[in-house]
Amino acid sequence: MNIFVTKLNYGTSEVSLKELFENYGEVSSAKIIMDRETGRSKGYGFVEIDDDSVAKQAIDELNETEFEGNTIIVKEARPRENSGNRGGGGYNNNRNFNRY
């Protein structure tokens, strides 16, 4: 199960996030999302636990608890929704443009 964790302290490391969830069972991965431009944490991440019952227990017990100075929110991650055209700019396929 993929678990979404938000309201993380900006100083929280992937190692400490993984260790928090390892108190409940084996963690496949822990990833904190970083801002590409600043290299700073965006304050949320994902933890993957293969055993769904262990994951649900971790969610139930860790949601709205204090971790490294912040009250974190923990819930099952939902798949990304495809919201259509998410990109910016691109080739304008308008054939009625002026040629100079």
Side-chain angles (χ1 to χ4, degrees):
M1 177 183 294
N2 200 12
I3 301 169
F4 176 67
V5 186
T6 190
K7 297 195 176 182
L8 289 169
N9 183 312
Y10 292 118
T12 296
S13 69
E14 290 179 352
V15 171
S16 64
L17 182 62
K18 183 176 182 180
E19 288 173 350
L20 174 67
F21 281 84
E22 283 178 333
N23 291 319
Y24 296 90
E26 188 175 340
V27 173
S28 303
S29 67
K31 176 83 175 148
I32 293 178
I33 306 304
M34 307 300 275
D35 183 281
R36 280 185 241 166
E37 292 181 22
T38 65
R40 190 176 107 160
S41 165
K42 287 190 170 186
Y44 68 93
F46 297 91
V47 176
E48 200 163 330
I49 297 177
D50 291 333
D51 185 331
D52 285 356
S53 64
V54 168
K56 287 177 183 172
Q57 180 184 4
I59 290 168
D60 290 343
E61 294 184 18
L62 291 174
N63 187 40
E64 297 185 352
T65 61
E66 189 275 331
F67 177 60
E68 296 187 353
N70 286 12
T71 301
I72 59 174
I73 305 297
V74 182
K75 43 176 119 171
E76 185 175 349
R78 294 179 304 200
R80 259 188 161 177
E81 292 181 14
N82 185 0
S83 62
N85 185 8
R86 277 192 155 205
Y91 177 72
N92 183 354
N93 198 17
N94 183 355
R95 297 185 191 275
N96 298 319
F97 59 91
N98 291 327
R99 293 186 181 160
Y100 295 100

